[in-house]
Amino acid sequence: MKDTRGGDTKDTGPDDEDHLPIGGSYGGPLRTRLDALRELIGLSRTRLESDTLAEAGRVLDEASARRRLSSHHTVVAIAGATGSGKSTLFNALAQVPLSETGLRRPTTSAPIACSWSEGAAGLLDRLAIPSRLRRRPLAGGEDELSGLVLVDLPDHDSALVRHREQVDRVLALVDAVIWVVDPEKYADAALHERYLRPLAGHAEVTFVVLNQIDRLPGEAADQVLDDLRRLLDDDGMALGEHGEPGATVLALSALTGDGVDELRELMGTFVQERTAAARRLSADVDVAAAGLRASYVAEGRTGLDELTRDEFAERLAEAVGAKAAGDAAEREWRRHAIRACGTPWLRLWRWYERSRTPGSAGPASGAPAEEELTARQRVEQAVRTVAEEAASGLPAPWAQAVREAAVRGADGLPEALDELAVREAAETAGRPLRPAWWPAAVLAQMSMTLIQVYGGLWLVGQIVGVLQPGLVVPALLMAAGIVGGPLVEWACTAA
């Protein structure tokens, strides 16, 4: 089958049936999207307000209702403003006067349906169209538009509120819409702002017909049609030109019949594709998803970076007293390192300085500066801070969910930190850690000291005349010991 809308052709075949509501479920991507939307709503009911999820729930309900009805029928509504010629076009497509036309406004007071084939009763019941307003076309037209259910709506700008309510109700249920505009009201703000712009995502199931072109002289019809396309483009409605999917726009005169055959041919191709219902539902899912986006999509980058994680670890370390214990352990380590690796002369000097200065002795090693191992309030504050960082940028419901999850996850954390601190303190108590290379450093330091002493005794022996004169070798030995000792201590400190 060929699609002639927009000029180019498109092959369709049996595979398109996969997208139709046949049997008990939809097929193809639409089924996946509906299942995902249903699961999303189920997971969000405890977090989001019911008003936020209302439109998505309505789409699922309508999808379920449409699935149970005939997949071989396509419901198309004819909508328009007062005096646009909707009913005249309705009669022209049916080739028989089914809907009342005239100068009295509003002419159409209730939706009237025309079905080109049997089996559409369930669809018409869904639209709440009574039996007295259901029509059949002229005999012989069934084959060309077989499967079409055409609905003539009241004026969308009617002075009667109940007429406008009927239009809105039916437009939410049909598979496609033919918008009929006239040269005087095609740019009406009410039409574009209330209907065409909000339904821009439904372009593939939208026909926009410029009626009454018989009233326009010369090239005026083309100029008005071009301006109508411009307005639709401003509304964000894609136009089905050059083979691209989008709304179909054409000009005709329902009164004279000019262009009506072209519309009938387009409608016949559109109906025989039998994808209108799925395309309409897919567009509804897009609109529902766009409405939910602000409730799910974060602003900017979210989550915890390495700096935040490190700061959280530091806060917990302070809460558990690890920082004070670490400082004490470092001081203890340095004292042991000086004893093991320092030069004897520097150790003597430091001992002399401490003995001359009261209170200069190092703090007692062992217990951390803080008496309490864990401050519960400080742990809770650290958890709240990291939760706020993690929730930053998230929509309010999910930011709150992150905070609640952090509080639940931190239950018992202070006690666990207490237990860890006690266990670590018990394992290291009274046993200062010593690296395996310390004995080698002690041996190197003793060697430097012995070289100094040996060089010094050699020089003394020369001075008192016991040994042969020769200052170079003993002086070099003493210099090597004097310089080597601090170098060994510095290397051990750095290590």
Side-chain angles (χ1 to χ4, degrees):
M1 185 180 298
K2 300 290 185 179
D3 184 359
T4 58
R5 288 183 299 156
D8 292 345
T9 61
K10 178 180 68 176
D11 289 328
T12 60
D15 290 342
D16 292 339
E17 300 291 335
D18 292 342
H19 301 279
L20 298 177
I22 297 177
S25 64
Y26 293 96
L30 179 58
R31 177 178 180 177
T32 303
R33 300 184 67 201
L34 290 172
D35 290 342
L37 183 61
R38 185 176 295 105
E39 182 178 1
L40 180 65
I41 292 178
L43 294 174
S44 305
R45 291 191 187 280
T46 58
R47 290 292 173 187
L48 301 182
E49 298 291 337
S50 57
D51 292 344
T52 305
L53 301 173
E55 177 59 21
R58 186 198 68 80
V59 170
L60 291 176
D61 292 341
E62 295 303 333
S64 178
R66 184 65 178 89
R67 178 199 54 176
R68 293 191 295 267
L69 301 173
S70 173
S71 64
H72 299 285
H73 289 80
T74 301
V75 185
V76 181
I78 297 182
T82 302
S84 61
K86 302 187 313 308
S87 298
T88 305
L89 180 60
F90 181 83
N91 293 337
L93 290 173
Q95 297 179 333
V96 62
L98 302 178
S99 184
E100 182 182 356
T101 62
L103 297 177
R104 182 176 59 85
R105 303 296 177 208
T107 303
T108 304
S109 58
I112 300 174
C114 178
S115 177
W116 267 255
S117 57
E118 300 290 344
L123 293 170
L124 297 177
D125 291 341
R126 179 169 175 254
L127 299 178
I129 298 178
S131 300
R132 61 183 177 83
L133 297 178
R134 301 179 186 183
R135 307 285 189 266
R136 294 299 302 272
L138 183 65
E142 288 84 353
D143 294 337
E144 184 179 7
L145 297 178
S146 178
L148 173 63
V149 179
L150 197 62
V151 181
D152 185 19
L153 297 179
D155 302 330
H156 71 75
D157 59 350
S158 173
L160 300 178
V161 176
R162 62 185 181 87
H163 288 180
R164 299 197 300 269
E165 292 176 347
Q166 286 179 333
V167 172
D168 294 342
R169 178 182 60 81
V170 175
L171 287 179
L173 301 176
V174 297
D175 302 326
V177 183
I178 299 176
W179 287 99
V180 182
V181 298
D182 61 75
E184 295 180 357
K185 296 183 180 180
Y186 73 93
D188 185 23
L191 170 65
H192 289 270
E193 294 178 4
R194 185 177 179 185
Y195 293 104
L196 295 180
R197 195 166 299 164
L199 294 175
H202 297 71
E204 290 190 51
V205 292
T206 300
F207 295 79
V208 182
V209 174
L210 176 63
N211 192 19
Q212 303 176 6
I213 60 172
D214 54 298
R215 298 168 50 191
L216 298 174
E219 298 179 354
D222 293 334
Q223 296 175 358
V224 173
L225 193 63
D226 290 340
D227 193 46
L228 175 59
R229 288 193 177 97
R230 179 188 62 81
L231 292 173
L232 293 175
D233 186 64
D234 292 342
D235 292 333
M237 181 169 289
L239 303 180
E241 300 175 331
H242 312 295
E244 299 176 355
T248 299
V249 183
L250 69 158
L252 55 78
S253 173
L255 185 62
T256 65
D258 185 18
V260 174
D261 289 340
E262 180 185 358
L263 176 60
R264 184 182 291 110
E265 183 181 352
L266 290 174
M267 291 303 302
T269 303
F270 181 75
V271 171
Q272 295 308 315
E273 288 178 351
R274 296 181 181 175
T275 60
R279 289 152 76 178
R280 166 63 195 258
L281 287 173
S282 181
D284 287 343
V285 172
D286 289 339
V287 173
L292 292 175
R293 180 179 177 82
S295 299
Y296 293 93
V297 179
E299 298 178 359
R301 187 175 179 179
T302 59
L304 301 178
D305 54 21
E306 290 299 324
L307 177 60
T308 305
R309 296 173 188 272
D310 293 342
E311 291 177 349
F312 178 58
E314 290 178 2
R315 294 189 189 99
L316 291 183
E318 291 179 358
V320 80
K323 188 177 187 302
D327 292 341
E330 182 179 357
R331 291 191 296 271
E332 186 70 11
W333 175 280
R334 289 186 179 277
R335 282 196 296 272
H336 284 287
I338 291 173
R339 294 193 190 101
C341 308
T343 64
W345 321 119
L346 288 177
R347 288 166 58 187
L348 286 174
W349 174 255
R350 288 164 182 158
W351 172 82
Y352 174 71
E353 286 294 322
R354 286 195 299 271
S355 63
R356 289 180 54 193
T357 306
S360 62
S365 61
E370 298 183 14
E371 293 184 0
E372 291 187 14
L373 288 177
T374 301
R376 175 178 292 274
Q377 293 182 346
R378 298 178 70 180
V379 172
E380 293 175 350
Q381 179 61 33
V383 171
R384 285 194 297 269
T385 301
V386 77
E388 288 295 334
E389 291 286 344
S392 177
L394 291 176
W398 309 114
Q400 182 61 28
V402 170
R403 298 186 192 98
E404 294 174 1
V407 172
R408 291 193 302 269
D411 187 26
L413 180 59
E415 292 77 8
L417 290 174
D418 275 337
E419 182 180 349
L420 177 63
V422 171
R423 186 172 66 249
E424 290 296 323
E427 291 178 357
T428 59
R431 296 187 297 104
L433 298 176
R434 296 175 180 271
W437 50 265
W438 270 14
V442 173
L443 180 61
Q445 196 64 265
M446 291 177 61
S447 300
M448 295 298 104
T449 303
L450 290 176
I451 289 175
Q452 293 180 53
V453 173
Y454 180 73
L457 292 177
W458 193 342
L459 288 175
V460 171
Q462 293 182 23
I463 293 172
V464 298
V466 176
L467 299 175
Q468 292 288 335
L471 298 177
V472 177
V473 176
L476 289 177
L477 289 175
M478 284 193 65
I482 292 172
V483 174
L487 284 177
V488 171
E489 181 177 357
W490 174 85
C492 293
T493 302

